[in-house]
Amino acid sequence: MRRRIFLAGMAGSAMQPALAGEFGAEGGGALGDMARIGQAVLAAGQAEPDAAALRRSLGLAAGQVPQAGPDWAGAIAADFTAGRVALVEGWVLSRTEAQLCALAACCEMRVG
């Protein structure tokens, strides 16, 4: 499976239901995958290691949980067009993808 398809499907399927309740994941499924990618993003220094800072960077209000939708696709495409990318373990992620995954990792670490 191509990485871009994987990430798009993961974000779309995980965001709405799994992120409700402040990322209360049990470490599995799409949200767990996002958190694992987010841990690599954080380890590579490609995103802020702070949930509040990540929310601000993503244009989310304090405590707001990202929802799936076309807005993320537009932001991701704009990142690639502008060259705003993060290189993590051989993956080229848009800045938005990296921040969303890092936010999942930050919140999972806090509740787990």
Side-chain angles (χ1 to χ4, degrees):
M1 176 181 289
R2 290 183 37 219
R3 292 175 183 177
R4 185 72 31 225
I5 294 168
F6 169 75
L7 283 168
M10 183 176 56
S13 67
M15 291 219 167
Q16 187 90 18
L19 299 186
E22 190 62 23
F23 290 90
E26 282 92 35
L31 184 60
D33 291 339
M34 285 180 72
R36 282 187 285 283
I37 293 168
Q39 290 168 354
V41 167
L42 294 170
Q46 294 290 324
E48 305 86 354
D50 175 68
L54 288 164
R55 281 191 178 92
R56 283 191 300 276
S57 293
L58 290 164
L60 300 171
Q64 184 179 358
V65 175
Q67 302 296 312
D71 291 343
W72 295 120
I76 290 166
D79 283 347
F80 281 114
T81 298
R84 292 185 301 264
V85 296
L87 303 174
V88 180
E89 295 185 6
W91 289 52
V92 179
L93 305 173
S94 75
R95 182 85 176 134
T96 300
E97 290 170 322
Q99 290 175 323
L100 287 167
C101 289
L103 181 57
C106 285
C107 292
E108 184 177 76
M109 286 181 233
R110 194 179 75 223
V111 297

